[in-house]
Amino acid sequence: MSKFKAFSKLALLIGYLLGNSFSIYAAEKPHEELMIVQTVSKDRRSFVVAKGMREGISKGEEVIFSNENVSLLCKAQEVNRNFSYWVPVDKLSNVPFNKDDFISYNSHAYGNVALDISGDQKNLTPDVNYEIIFKKFRSSNGITLKTSFDQGLSQSSSDVTSDKNSKRTGFTFGAEYNFRFMPEFEMSAGIRFDSEVYRIMNPTLDIPTNRQLLTIATTYHFTSYSKDKNNFYLTLAAGFGRSTTEVDGVKSNGTVTLLPEARLGFIMPFSNTTALVLEGSIESLSTHETFADLSSQDTNILESKLTIGLRF
């Protein structure tokens, strides 16, 4: 009888050890499951999931959490029955998940692989696709409103000696509709209004000129060379319109030709729908104007422009 009791106790002990070994093996066996992020701290240094001691989570445990873009090795800082509080093992890492995101929970970190993933700062944040976020300025049509300060570089006029040609300054206001037919290329049609003053020094005389022009332009955007939301562009433009000049109370009217204008510009979006535009340009203008007595004057102007505007 005593031998039977001893054998029974031994059998129970072996069964208990085998049962515990199987449970440990089952718990240790790597597995993966989906869960929902309950909340993320404001500083993005920690988060909480609905998985606690009831599911076998223990304080100090390290697991991999991941979504479709990034994997992050985390450590359980606090655990209760139903919830656990996690922080990245890499102290320089931020939590790339948001509240209510579905994330994958992996019960094991496979050697240094997860450490390498969590230590790679580039993998913590998904790449930003500027072509999608800022497609208004990368692939869509738009409108540009701008103003510029004009400075004459040189001028030659019929019936005016070169020593009397002095200084020309003014302002330009314009609007363009931009038709984007390729990500890098666009065509533009616009209208602009020039108001300039040409000052002769000897004798001192201010000669105002006003112009109204229709313009066309073609632009190449260097988006493929841009690493962020901004980009440079190069534009060649031409135009034709009307010019009016007043000399000592006498007006002359005629045509003006813009050919060419070369612009180097920079687009800086500050929202998904609005961008700041900066340009520097050089242009050549030719006017042919007629006075009331039917006398005429031809003027060739080379000037530079600094432009600021908004693109919608």
Side-chain angles (χ1 to χ4, degrees), residues 29-301:
K29 184 178 180 181
H31 67 283
E32 189 172 353
E33 59 184 279
L34 287 176
M35 60 184 58
I36 299 176
V37 177
Q38 299 297 310
T39 186
V40 178
S41 64
K42 290 184 178 180
D43 61 2
R44 306 197 70 82
R45 303 293 299 173
S46 59
F47 63 101
V48 174
V49 297
K51 190 176 180 71
M53 289 185 292
R54 187 175 60 178
E55 291 79 19
I57 301 295
S58 59
K59 184 176 180 179
E61 183 177 351
E62 295 182 1
V63 300
I64 300 173
F65 290 95
S66 60
N67 59 19
E68 60 183 4
N69 296 308
V70 62
S71 297
L72 186 65
L73 181 64
C74 299
K75 184 175 183 178
Q77 288 288 92
E78 300 292 339
V79 182
N80 64 21
R81 178 175 173 80
N82 299 310
F83 298 94
S84 52
Y85 173 78
W86 299 85
V87 297
V89 171
D90 185 351
K91 298 185 182 301
L92 298 178
S93 301
N94 291 325
V95 175
F97 316 128
N98 297 311
K99 182 180 178 181
D100 296 328
D101 277 1
F102 282 93
I103 59 175
S104 173
Y105 164 94
N106 194 316
S107 64
H108 267 59
Y110 297 101
N112 293 324
V113 174
L115 293 175
D116 291 341
I117 293 174
S118 66
D120 186 353
Q121 296 294 317
K122 294 181 180 179
N123 285 330
L124 295 179
T125 304
D127 291 337
V128 177
N129 191 332
Y130 295 107
E131 303 297 328
I132 295 177
I133 297 176
F134 296 102
K135 74 173 186 176
K136 179 69 177 178
F137 314 111
R138 298 299 180 100
S139 59
S140 301
N141 301 340
I143 295 174
T144 305
L145 302 178
K146 52 189 179 181
T147 182
S148 63
F149 171 74
D150 309 341
Q151 177 68 58
L153 300 177
S154 66
Q155 175 172 320
S156 63
S157 302
S158 59
D159 302 328
V160 178
T161 58
S162 60
D163 60 331
K164 290 188 177 181
N165 291 338
S166 180
K167 183 179 180 182
R168 178 180 291 271
T169 58
F171 295 91
T172 295
F173 301 92
E176 288 182 329
Y177 181 79
N178 311 297
F179 173 69
R180 200 68 164 259
F181 61 93
M182 290 179 61
E184 294 84 8
F185 288 96
E186 72 180 7
M187 294 291 295
S188 303
I191 185 170
R192 73 179 233 188
F193 302 91
D194 298 356
S195 178
E196 296 179 354
V197 173
Y198 175 53
R199 172 165 291 184
I200 296 176
M201 302 302 296
N202 186 25
T204 303
L205 179 65
D206 286 344
I207 302 175
T209 298
N210 294 297
R211 308 187 197 97
Q212 303 85 39
L213 294 94
L214 296 176
T215 61
I216 58 171
T218 181
T219 299
Y220 178 79
H221 292 269
F222 296 92
T223 53
S224 57
Y225 300 96
S226 174
K227 295 182 179 180
D228 54 28
K229 61 184 180 180
N230 308 321
N231 76 269
F232 284 96
Y233 61 89
L234 182 65
T235 300
L236 292 177
F240 184 79
R242 182 174 178 80
S243 175
T244 301
T245 300
E246 184 175 343
V247 183
D248 200 19
V250 179
K251 289 186 178 181
S252 60
N253 300 285
T255 59
V256 56
T257 303
L258 169 66
L259 187 68
E261 179 189 11
R263 311 171 192 163
L264 179 61
F266 189 59
I267 296 178
M268 295 185 294
F270 53 84
S271 75
N272 293 356
T273 57
T274 309
L276 179 68
V277 175
L278 300 174
E279 288 180 353
S281 61
I282 295 178
E283 65 181 22
S284 176
L285 293 161
S286 299
T287 65
H288 178 77
E289 297 178 338
T290 303
F291 294 89
D293 61 2
L294 300 183
S295 62
S296 63
Q297 179 170 284
D298 296 328
T299 304
N300 296 309
I301 304 166

